[in-house]
Amino acid sequence: MTATNGRPAAGDGPTRRPGSGPAHEPAARRRDTVAAVVGQWQAVHPELDTGPMEIIGRINRCAALLQQAEDAPLRRAGLTRPEFDLLGALRRTGHELTPSELARETFSSGAAVTKRLKQLTERGLVERRGDTRDRRVAHVRLTDAGRDLVDGILPEQLTYETAVLSGLDTGGQGELAALLGELLGQLEGRLSVPRL
């Protein structure tokens, strides 16, 4: 039997044998929390296409879970992800950046960058110098300690992220990265995303 929206009605599908269930299913078939939410909305509004919710809801849920779990290597170093992003921007570009440029590089607000730079400066990881032509402009660069910290953490952070994604095979990871890249490119071209 099929519901009026073209999706299988509740109760359709293979009957589970005793002892089977989500814990015994392949990861791709397990019902996640978003699947449950979508199912509830389909019951309330069977005439609506809830397909977008299945994608955006899962992206939001994955982001929330990753933020809750925090990044173990960064946490051990006493850094937040946004602070590491600032340090990383300075390291990967290889030159000084202004706070405005750092805001663009890290998708952050100017106020958030100012606060993070203050904390990183107090820790001796970055230093600021005034512009010789415009005293309102500051230039930020990594200190030796900041560069060493980034270079020391990055391999460990990548190992941690590899472990987080280990449930997906290499092909699946590549496909997901490509799809997310396509979506992100479209969103960056169309939406004005609030900065954190």
Side-chain angles (χ1 to χ4, degrees), residues 138-178:
H139 297 271
V140 183
R141 63 185 173 195
L142 287 175
T143 62
D144 289 344
R147 186 185 63 250
D148 291 345
L149 182 62
V150 173
D151 288 349
I153 289 177
L154 184 59
E156 190 179 354
Q157 181 65 18
L158 288 172
T159 298
Y160 169 79
E161 292 177 358
T162 298
V164 169
L165 296 172
S166 61
L168 296 174
D169 61 28
T170 303
Q173 290 184 31
E175 183 179 359
L176 179 59

Side-chain angles (χ1 to χ4, degrees), residues 94-134:
H95 55 77
E96 295 178 344
L97 295 171
T98 66
S100 295
E101 290 169 335
L102 281 168
R104 286 194 297 272
E105 286 285 335
T106 60
F107 307 102
S108 302
S109 69
V113 167
T114 298
K115 179 180 177 182
R116 292 164 192 156
L117 286 177
K118 182 177 184 294
Q119 294 166 337
L120 294 171
T121 301
E122 290 171 353
R123 291 185 59 182
L125 300 175
V126 300
E127 55 189 14
R128 304 165 65 118
R129 69 169 182 86
D131 190 289
T132 54
R133 292 170 296 179
D134 187 344

